[in-house]
Amino acid sequence: MSIEIRDVTKTFGSFTALDDVSVAIRPGSLTALLGPSGGGKSTLLRIIAGLETADSGVVTIDGADATRLPPQKRGVGFVFQHYAAFPHMSVARNIAFGLEIRKRPKEEVRARVDELLRLVHLEQFGDRMPSQLSGGQRQRMALARALAVEPSVLLLDEPFGALDAKVRKELRDWLRRLHDEVHVTTVFVTHDQEEALEVADEIVVISQGRVEQTGSPDALYDRPANSFVMSFLGPVTQLDGRLVRPHDIEVLGIEVRDAVAGVVADVQRVGNEARVRVGVGGAPPVAVVLTRAELRALGARVGDTVWLRLAAGAATLPVDDAALAGSHPAAGVGEVGRALAGASSPRG
Amino acid sequence: MARRGPVALRVVVIAYLVLLVAWPVSLVFTGAFANGLAPVIETFRDPLVLNALRLTAIAAGWAVVLNTVFGVGVALLLVRRTFPGRRLLAALVDLPLAVSPVVVGLAIALVYGAKSGWLGVPLANVGLDVIYSTPGIVLATTFIALPLVIREIIPVLEEVGTEQEQAARSLGAGPWTTFRRITLPAIRWGLIYGVVLCLARAVGEFGAVKVVSGNLIGRTQTATLTVEELYMNFDREGAFAVAAALASVSIIAIAIVGLLRARTERRTS
Ligand SMILES: Nc1ncnc2c1ncn2[C@@H]1O[C@H](COP(=O)(O)OP(=O)(O)O)[C@@H](O)[C@H]1O
Ligand SMILES: [Mg+2]
C-alpha cells in the first residue's frame, strides 16, 4: 500500500521537529528514513503510525486520508528499537495479541501464530517468556507480532539499533529476504548509512526536520543532491576545491593535463584496500582509496610525488563547508577509514 | 544472589526490627490471650465491638475501592500526560501523608459539617449527614490513605514506559483494551502493594475518624476507637483482642502478597 506524506509539520514546544515534509512511498517498497539522530525520522514514522499527530499536513495510507485516524485504525505494524515485548505473555501470546483483539477464531489464531513462528525462526520458542529470549530473538518476535495482523504498512524504528554488530547484520539480511517474500510496504528508520544502502530500495535522507533527498541507493550514492547527502552516505574528500569520493580519484605516477600534483604523506593497507593520503600545497591533504593491485602498479611510497585527477564519471559537488559540519562522522579528510568498509559495497 | 552481610550488621538489623516491630506487636497478641480464650470470645460476642468491626470494614472497603480506582486514574494522569498544574497536583497527592490526621478530620468537619459546612449544609438539606455518620468516616479514611496506591504505581508506570502501550495500540487495541491487557498487568504488583498498604492504613486510622465520627458508641465507633475506649475502661483483654484482630488483617494481607509474589517469581524464572 502506498503512503503519502504531504506538507507535514510537527513542533514540540518551540522546537520544529519536522518542517513541511513531503514524502511519497511506493506500494511494496522497502524504504529507509536515513539521517543523523535528532533529525526527525522517528517523529515522521510515528506520525505515519498515528502514535504522534502532525501539527499540519496530511498523511494518506493506501489512498485514504489517515491524518486523524487513531493508531488502531490505520492498519500499520510498528516495531520498536527496544522490542516493546509484552513481558507477561508468552512469545506465542505476544504474536497472537493483535488477532485476539480482533476476536479471530482460536483455530485460526493458532495456525497463524505457528506460521509466523516458522517465518521468524522461533518455532521452538512459542511457550517461552520474552525475558528468556536474546535481543535478536525478541526483535524477531516483535516483527512476527506486527506481521500477524497483516498490516498494510510495516514501520520499524531503528529495529536493529539495540543489537550487537553480528546479529544486526544477520537480521538486516533477513529483513531484506523477508520483504522479498512478504512484500508488505515497509519503512524503517536508521542512522546507519550502510544499513540503508544495503537493505532499502528507496532512501529518504532526513536532517534537521527536512527531507534532503529521496531516491534509490545508487542514485543517492552516485548523484547526491548536496554535500550533506554526499558526505552522510559515504566518505568524501576534497580535490581541487570539489567534494569527491576517495575511490573516484586516480593516482598517476606521471604528470598529465589537469592533474593536481601532490606528495604521498601516508599509506595504510587494510585488506584489499590501500588508503593513501596525498599532501597538496595549500589545501587539506587528499584521501584516496586504491586497490592493492593499483598501489602495486603505481609503486608510490611515502614522499614520492604523484598526480591526482578525477576518474571518469565521478560524482563531485562544490565544497560547502556549512553542510559538511556535523555530517558523516567519518567523512573528515584523512579519516576515511572507518566508513569505507561499509560504503565500498553498496547493494547492487 | 544476596551476598551475606557481615554478622554484626545482621544482628543490628534484626535487633532493630524485633525491638521496634515484632516484639511490641507480639505483645498485643499475648496480651489478648493473657487470661485464656474465654474473654477474647466474649469480646467478639459484644454487639458494640461487632458493630465497630463492621464499620471499620465498611470504611476500609470503600477507601480501598475509591483509592484504587482514583489512584490508578490519577497516577496515569500524572505520568502519562502533561498539563498545566501537573506538579501542583503531584504535590497535593502527598498532602494526606504530610498532614496530621487530626487536621484532616477537622478540615473535613469544616467542609461537611451539617450546621455550617460549605458542602455540609446543602447535603444536610437533601437528607445526607456526613459528619457524625458513616459517609464522613469513609471520607476521612479514604483521604488519609489516598497517596498510598498512587505512590506505589507511579514509579512502575514510569519504569515500564509507553512503548508497550503504543505497540498494543498499533496492533489494534483501543485505549480500554490497552489499559486492561497491557498497562494493568504491568503495574499489578505496584497496585497490589498499594492496595495492601491502603487497606492496612485504612483499618488502622484513628485520629481523623475520631474527629469526624463523634465516637458515638454502637453507631459511629470504629474498631480503633473501640480499642481506645476498652483500654480506657480497663478492659485490657478486650482492647488487646480487638487490636490483635486489626493487626491480623494487615499481617495476613502482607503475608498473602509475599506468597503470591514468591510463586509468580518461581514460575517466571
Ligand atoms: N515527545 C517529544 N517531546 C519533545 N521533543 C521531542 C519529542 N519527540 C521528539 N522530540 C525532539 O524532536 C527531535 C527529533 O526527534 P526524533 O524524531 O526522535 O529524531 P530521530 O529519530 O531522527 O533521531 C529531537 O530533537 C527530539 O528531541
Ligand atoms: Mg529515532
Side-chain angles (χ1 to χ4, degrees), chain A residues 46 51 70-72 76 78 80 82 84-89 93 97-98 100-102 145-146 149, chain B residues 162-175 177-178 181-183 185-186 188 268-269:
Chain A
R46 294 165 59 79
L51 298 173
Q72 71 267 30
V76 299
F78 202 98
F80 296 84
H82 297 287
F86 303 144
H88 57 291
M89 299 179 196
R93 292 287 308 283
F97 185 83
E100 287 177 358
I101 295 287
R102 285 166 177 72
R145 185 175 70 181
V149 297
Chain B
T162 52
E163 284 204 344
Q164 289 177 40
E165 291 166 10
Q166 292 175 356
R169 295 299 298 276
S170 74
L171 288 167
T177 311
T178 304
R181 302 212 36 194
I182 305 300
T183 314
R188 67 185 183 283
T268 52
S269 67

Side-chain angles (χ1 to χ4, degrees), chain B residues 145-226:
Chain B
L146 178 131
L148 298 169
V149 171
I150 301 174
R151 285 293 151 208
E152 285 296 316
I153 305 177
I154 281 181
V156 187
L157 275 176
E158 276 168 352
E159 200 196 310
V160 293
T162 52
E163 284 204 344
Q164 289 177 40
E165 291 166 10
Q166 292 175 356
R169 295 299 298 276
S170 74
L171 288 167
W176 171 246
T177 311
T178 304
F179 171 75
R180 201 170 50 80
R181 302 212 36 194
I182 305 300
T183 314
L184 205 52
I187 63 172
R188 67 185 183 283
W189 283 115
L191 187 59
I192 290 172
Y193 275 130
V195 165
V196 167
L197 290 177
C198 177
L199 178 71
R201 184 76 183 80
V203 164
E205 178 45 29
F206 178 79
V209 168
K210 179 150 190 175
V211 176
V212 298
S213 73
N215 204 2
L216 308 174
I217 296 169
R219 282 184 36 220
T220 64
Q221 193 177 58
T222 62
T224 48
L225 298 180
T226 303

Side-chain angles (χ1 to χ4, degrees), chain B residues 51-145:
Chain B
N51 235 328
L53 287 172
R54 186 174 324 121
L55 191 54
T56 288
I58 289 170
W62 275 109
V64 165
V65 169
L66 291 173
N67 280 331
T68 302
V69 172
F70 286 103
V72 171
V74 170
L76 280 172
L77 202 64
L78 285 177
V79 177
R80 295 283 190 260
R81 307 280 148 150
T82 48
F83 53 90
R86 198 174 62 96
R87 280 159 172 274
L88 188 70
L89 187 62
L92 265 180
V93 162
D94 285 335
L95 202 64
L97 282 184
V99 176
S100 161
V102 177
V103 176
V104 172
L106 278 175
I108 290 176
L110 277 178
V111 175
Y112 293 95
K115 294 241 168 61
S116 60
W118 287 1
L119 273 170
V121 173
L123 284 175
N125 286 341
V126 298
L128 185 67
D129 280 339
V130 177
I131 302 305
Y132 304 145
S133 160
T134 309
I137 296 168
V138 168
L139 215 58
T141 310
T142 306
F143 187 121
I144 290 295

